Each structure stands twice: as structure tokens, then as C-alpha cells.
Amino acid sequence: MRILYVVGTRPNFVKTAPVIGALRERLPEGRHTIVHTGQHYDRLMSEVFLEELGVPAPDHMLEVGSGSHAQMTARTMERLEPVLVAEAPDLVVVPGDVNSTLAATLTAVKLGLPVAHVESGLRSFDMTMPEEVNRIVADRFSELLFLHSEEAVANLRAEGIPDERMHMVGNTMIDTLVALEERFRSVDSAARLGLEPGSYALVTLHRPALVDGPLLAETVARLSALAREMPVVFPVHPRTRKMMEGADVDRGDLLLSEPLGYLDFLSLLADAGAVLTDSGGIQEETTYLGIPCFTLRDNTERPVTVSAGTNTLLGLDPQAIAGIPAALAARGPAPGEPPPLWDGHAAERIADVIVGER
Ligand code: UD1
């Protein structure tokens, strides 16, 4: 059996690494081909992750780079098509909801190749988010849909997708976290920054709705105010860095850094007193780790993280940052179990389904 995996961005690597590992184990005689679109290309956004996750070097690098949505999607399709024709895989595996996911799905289905979508069925119901469009297309055209939470079933049924295509397998991003736990627990990144565990807030921001306009300067000013009450560690995504360079922002006492490797980041996450983010994956990781997460968005495609008791939606409203210390002080007991099947074995279930379908 020939399986081809298409990855392009930092979170794609995290979600796909355990799937590649589980399928290589089940199908040692099979051909496993990794295609890296190059949507993320900085060493800290790409290579470091592949190394830490133990992903073999990609077989094909498409070097698509940055651009408008149409440019990135078109370039990926154009460069991926000959690879798919030459490799003739029996299955194309695509994770998540980024532009590489959209482009790979369309290219494969147009060639009549079956697609498996990992992290299927998430919906924010906000079509202004590029990821929402990407998810809908990937789910509509994938033959195998791998789900990680119950609400995905209702979302997919509402779009007329039959149950036979859905497989509730759990969360492969949590597989990676579980697999790395011993390593990241021993890194102690907080101590290297002179921070006490539980004493600081960890911040990540990169969504266009927040960082591509005037909200960014206001958000950074509010974070500087928060930094007067607790240390604020802020590894800055390249998109956000570029926007910060162009804007007049007051960085105050913020502990700014380059993007971090995954072990470093997970270490800081696990020891944080609070996390402030607009990321999707970090809402999930904090839910698994039981860390209070405040999400600077009006909606989430991951409502299970809110019902689990770790995630609070602040809205797309930088002023709400001022309420974080009071919200932390008023918090009840730590929430209980992570959602069902967020247990470190999702990729094995995916491999079972794929091998069983042969
Ligand atoms: C992309 C995904 C987003 C995901 C995020 C994870 C889409 C539409 N967006 O957002 O869903 O949550 O990845 O990180 O697919 N850049 C660099 N170096 C890099 C990569 C990007 O400098 O290695 C800069 C470039 O200026 C680029 C900008 O970041 O134009 C945005 O990159 P892009 O891949 O378009 O979107 P992200 O914001 O990274």
C-alpha cells in the first residue's frame, strides 16, 4: 500500500507525526511518502519541529512559500499534481485546516485519489476565517474523516455527510504531546527564563483578524499592562512579528522571543499559570494539561475545550485581557478528565481504520 502525507505548517507536523509513525509500524512493507508544501519554511517554524517529532526528512519539498491565498493554493496544486501522478498513492492523508490542506485535497480528488482528513468536522461557523473554508472543502471531498470530538459528528451530518465516512478516533495532537511528555517535562524552560512554575502567562497570537489590523497595537498594550501584574512570555509568530514591526506598539516588560521549538513551548505551556491565545491547537493542549486558557476570539471551532472547563472565550476584544488576573483568582477547582479518546492512541486507531479498509 502506498500512502502519501501532505504537510505544510507547524501544527500539521504535530498532528501528522504520530499518524506516519503508526502507519509505518502497521505497514512496514508499504511506501510512505511525505510531501512538505513549504507553506512554513523558517527553520523555527518547520525543520526544528520535524526534528523534534522524529519525522523522516520529506521526500518532496514543494517550496511554495508565502503569498496571497490564491497564490499559495494555486502554487501548491500545480507543484503537487506531478508528485501525485508519479507516486500514484492509494491514499492521500491531509491534516488540519490550512491552505496546504485545501490545495492537497483538491489536487488529489481531481486526480481521482482517495483522501483521508485528520481533524475532521471542526466548525467555527465563521466564513471570514480562511480555515473554515479549508475545513469544509477537505471534509466534503475526503473519503475517510477522522474526528476527535463529538460535536464534529453533528457538524458533518448537518452538511449531509454520511456516518459511514466518519471515524471517531481521538486527537493526534494529543498523541504527540503524550509521546513527548517525559522529554518536555525535563526541559524546564521556565527556570531558564528565571520564572516560577504557575507564576506567568504564556501568549501566542497569529490570526489575521487580531494581528493584521489595529487590534494588534491595543492587544500588545493590554499585555504590557498585564505584565505589571505577572510575567508575560510571548513567543512571536512571523506574521505577528512583521505586523508589530510596522505598527507603533508599546512592548513594555513583555518577554518577547522568536518562535520556540516544540519541546520548549510545551514545557512553558505545562508550567504556565495562564495561557492567552488565538490558536486552535493550544486550546486543545491546555485542555489536556488542565491549564487555564483565555482565547481572544469571538468563536471557537473547538467548543469541547470550553465545556471541559479550561478554555474561556474572551471575544475579539483586547480590553478583556485586563480581567485575566481576577478570573484566575476566582477559578474553582481544576477541571477533571480530558475529552474521550484524547489519550495518546488516536493515530493507532487511524491506522486500524486505514489498514482495515484495504
Ligand atoms: C497558517 C494557517 C493557520 C495556522 C497557522 C499556524 C492558513 C490560511 N493559515 O497561518 O490556519 O493556524 O499557519 O502557524 O493556512 N511567515 C514567515 N515564515 C514562515 C511562515 C510564514 O515569515 O515560515 C510569514 C510570512 O510573512 C507569511 C505570514 O507569516 O506571509 C503568514 O504565513 P501563512 O502561512 O500565510 O499563514 P499563518 O499566519 O502562518
Side-chain angles (χ1 to χ4, degrees), residues 174-187 263 266-267 270 288-289:
I174 301 303
D175 287 6
T176 295
L177 192 156
V178 169
L180 294 178
E181 186 146 16
E182 212 170 297
R183 282 168 69 196
F184 76 72
R185 295 268 181 208
S186 64
V187 171
L263 291 171
L266 287 176
S267 170
Y288 181 82
L289 293 166

Side-chain angles (χ1 to χ4, degrees), residues 1 23 26 91 144-146 164-169 346-358:
M1 190 178 187
L23 278 162
R26 294 297 156 88
L91 184 67
L144 293 174
L145 301 175
F146 293 118
E164 302 81 75
R165 283 165 53 199
M166 303 179 204
H167 302 272
M168 181 64 67
V169 292
E348 292 160 35
R349 294 183 200 103
I350 289 176
D352 286 344
V353 173
I354 290 175
V355 172
E357 294 267 329
R358 274 199 302 165

Side-chain angles (χ1 to χ4, degrees), residues 16-221:
T16 314
V19 180
I20 299 172
L23 278 162
R24 282 166 71 100
E25 213 175 289
R26 294 297 156 88
L27 300 168
E29 307 297 327
R31 182 165 164 77
H32 300 267
T33 305
I34 303 173
V35 179
H36 187 332
T37 66
Q39 179 174 346
H40 284 176
Y41 44 84
D42 287 349
R43 187 174 150 69
L44 289 170
M45 299 293 287
S46 175
E47 267 166 275
V48 166
F49 274 67
L50 296 173
E51 285 162 16
E52 289 184 346
L53 297 168
V55 176
D59 303 277
H60 301 272
M61 300 287 286
L62 304 184
E63 294 178 0
V64 163
S66 301
S68 71
H69 288 265
Q71 286 167 339
M72 290 161 79
T73 308
R75 255 186 248 144
T76 308
M77 292 182 72
E78 214 170 352
R79 295 179 193 184
L80 181 60
E81 187 178 52
V83 173
L84 293 182
V85 169
E87 295 282 351
D90 299 301
L91 184 67
V92 178
V93 176
V94 300
D97 54 18
V98 300
N99 286 347
S100 301
T101 315
L102 168 77
T105 306
L106 286 177
T107 312
V109 291
K110 291 276 183 176
L111 290 171
L113 298 171
V115 178
H117 184 209
V118 176
E119 195 191 74
S120 165
L122 302 188
R123 296 291 182 270
S124 65
F125 304 101
D126 176 359
M127 285 292 189
T128 67
M129 289 181 72
E131 294 82 3
E132 186 75 352
V133 178
N134 298 346
R135 290 178 196 121
I136 290 173
V137 172
D139 286 338
R140 178 66 185 79
F141 294 114
S142 295
E143 220 161 87
L144 293 174
L145 301 175
F146 293 118
L147 283 53
H148 77 34
S149 50
E150 273 305 321
E151 54 252 13
V153 177
N155 292 341
L156 292 170
R157 280 184 186 153
E159 291 173 18
I161 292 176
D163 286 17
E164 302 81 75
R165 283 165 53 199
M166 303 179 204
H167 302 272
M168 181 64 67
V169 292
N171 192 329
T172 63
M173 188 170 235
I174 301 303
D175 287 6
T176 295
L177 192 156
V178 169
L180 294 178
E181 186 146 16
E182 212 170 297
R183 282 168 69 196
F184 76 72
R185 295 268 181 208
S186 64
V187 171
D188 219 356
S189 300
R192 280 200 272 123
L193 292 172
L195 299 170
E196 287 291 320
S199 71
Y200 61 91
L202 178 64
V203 176
T204 80
L205 309 172
H206 76 286
R207 297 266 168 216
L210 189 64
V211 307
D212 283 7
L215 286 179
L216 177 62
E218 199 189 335
T219 304
V220 177

